[in-house]
């Protein structure tokens, strides 16, 4: 029996291409940032920047996976030319997605948390709470980019439109979450309270998972897909809050979350709070 190594070679080529996408993302970050990436990581030993840049690279990987899976597997009889073209398209989507990731970060930095620029807090004050939020914003944005790219039957226009809609939804619900948190989230993040930054950031990731569900299905027409998007956005966020409240009640029965986060700065509680949000969103994503 003859062993067909073509699928193995294609898989290895995709892995190598993913590494190339990460290198390009690093170069883009160096080029677009007003600060030295290497300097923040090494010379300044900035832990807040470490949290942010880790989220950035995780988002690049998510975008690349979304691009690589968007067209589905190549037919077994596809030639080398078709394989090279497919790899080129995947890399192009990954680069465009990484550029969108950097643009989105600039917008979210200034609008997500009132009177608080995340990048300024991360670089100027080494604020780990802001670093956690920025890292999670990257991951959340990567998820919605991947979902938009994976829209079967979509075009560049539909990808761009649903990406922008998802980002606006993330921003809106991120601001709404801060109002419903039971404490002044913006103040806590500015005061470098990591226990407040973690649940906000992870809640954004949870919302992005719901947006990924809303955007990654088959594109039928604008009315149909926008209706699905609106339903998932409007119904998903209240459902997420309600289920997380029930989970908090069951899993943290003796803790008042706001007190633990504000008074005690209890990062453990903030991490559990954020993990419950992501877990519940993942259940909704894969069950419905």
């Amino acid at each position: 029996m003859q062993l067909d190594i073509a699928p193995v070679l294609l898989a290895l080529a995709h892995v190598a291409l993913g590494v190339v996408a990460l290198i390009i993302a690093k170069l883009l970050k160096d080029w677009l940032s007003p600060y030295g990436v290497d300097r923040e990581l090494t010379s300044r030993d900035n832990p807040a920047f470490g949290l942010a840049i880790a989220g950035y690279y995780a988002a690049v990987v998510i975008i690349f996976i979304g691009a690589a899976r968007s067209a589905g597997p190549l037919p077994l009889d596809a030639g080398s030319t078709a394989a090279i073209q497919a790899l080129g398209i995947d890399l192009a989507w990954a680069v465009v997605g990484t550029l969108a990731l950097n643009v989105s970060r600039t917008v979210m930095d200034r609008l997500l948390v009132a009177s608080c620029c995340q990048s300024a807090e991360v670089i100027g004050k080494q604020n780990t709470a802001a670093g956690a939020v920025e890292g999670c914003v990257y991951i959340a944005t990567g998820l919605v980019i991947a979902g938009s790219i994976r829209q079967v039957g979509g075009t560049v226009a539909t990808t761009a439109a649903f990406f922008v809609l998802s980002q606006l939804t993330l921003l809106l619900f991120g601001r709404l979450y801060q109002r419903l948190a039971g404490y002044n989230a913006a103040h806590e993040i500015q005061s470098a309270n990591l226990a407040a930054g973690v649940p906000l950031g992870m809640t954004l990731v949870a919302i992005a998972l719901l947006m990924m569900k809303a955007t990654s299905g088959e594109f039928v027409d604008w009315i149909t897909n926008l209706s699905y998007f609106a339903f998932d956005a409007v119904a998903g966020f209240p459902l997420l809050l309600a289920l997380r409240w029930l989970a908090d009640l069951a899993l943290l029965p003796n803790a008042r979350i706001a007190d633990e986060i504000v008074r005690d700065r209890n990062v453990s509680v903030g991490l559990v709070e954020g993990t419950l949000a992501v877990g519940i969103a993942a259940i909704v994503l894969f069950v419905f």
Side-chain angles (χ1 to χ4, degrees):
M1 184 177 67
Q2 185 177 5
L3 178 64
D4 185 7
I5 64 170
V8 177
L9 293 176
L10 185 60
L12 290 174
H14 264 116
V15 172
L17 198 66
V19 175
V20 172
L22 284 168
I23 293 171
I24 293 173
K26 166 67 164 59
L27 296 174
L28 286 173
K29 188 68 175 172
D30 286 335
W31 178 49
L32 295 172
S33 299
Y35 47 80
V37 173
D38 293 338
R39 178 172 178 268
E40 293 298 324
L41 283 174
T42 56
S43 300
R44 296 192 68 207
D45 298 333
N46 186 343
F49 184 75
L51 290 170
I53 199 69
Y56 175 72
Y57 287 131
V60 172
V61 171
I62 291 168
I63 292 169
F64 178 75
I65 292 173
R69 293 175 63 87
S70 60
L74 282 175
L76 293 177
D77 59 349
S80 58
T81 302
I84 292 171
Q85 288 177 343
L87 290 170
I89 291 171
D90 291 346
L91 182 61
W93 273 117
V95 172
V96 171
T98 302
L99 286 169
L101 184 68
N102 282 278
V103 171
S104 173
R105 189 268 302 168
T106 302
V107 175
M108 297 289 276
D109 264 1
R110 288 161 173 75
L111 299 179
L112 177 62
V113 180
S115 67
C116 176
C117 178
Q118 302 302 300
S119 288
E121 293 287 323
V122 168
I123 302 302
K125 301 179 182 178
Q126 298 195 5
N127 184 336
T128 54
V133 173
E134 184 164 312
C136 288
V137 166
Y138 277 131
I139 293 172
T141 302
L143 286 169
V144 298
I145 292 173
S148 300
I149 291 173
R150 289 192 62 192
Q151 195 171 68
V152 179
T155 63
V156 173
T158 61
T159 298
F162 281 100
F163 164 66
V164 171
L165 282 173
S166 297
Q167 286 301 108
L168 291 173
T169 303
L170 275 177
L171 181 60
L172 173 64
F173 287 157
R175 293 296 294 263
L176 182 58
Y177 168 83
Q178 294 173 64
R179 297 182 70 89
L180 299 174
Y183 53 88
N184 189 334
H187 172 75
E188 294 302 319
I189 291 168
Q190 284 181 296
S191 64
N193 185 350
L194 183 58
V198 167
L200 171 58
M202 295 183 74
T203 297
L204 291 173
V205 173
I207 296 168
L209 286 171
L210 299 178
M211 292 301 97
M212 192 177 184
K213 176 181 180 295
T215 57
S216 59
E218 182 180 0
F219 181 79
V220 180
D221 55 59
W222 284 105
I223 294 176
T224 301
N225 285 75
L226 287 173
S227 299
Y228 284 140
F229 181 90
F231 175 79
D232 284 336
V234 171
F237 184 66
L239 178 64
L240 176 65
L241 290 181
L243 290 175
R244 196 178 70 177
W245 176 78
L246 290 173
D248 284 344
L249 197 63
L251 300 178
L252 295 169
N254 299 317
R256 186 173 185 273
I257 304 299
D259 287 344
E260 292 292 330
I261 288 176
V262 176
R263 184 189 63 202
D264 299 338
R265 297 196 164 207
N266 190 331
V267 179
S268 298
V269 168
L271 186 59
V272 170
E273 179 85 350
T275 302
L276 289 176
V278 173
I280 289 167
I283 292 170
V284 172
L285 174 66
F286 288 107
V287 169
F288 287 95

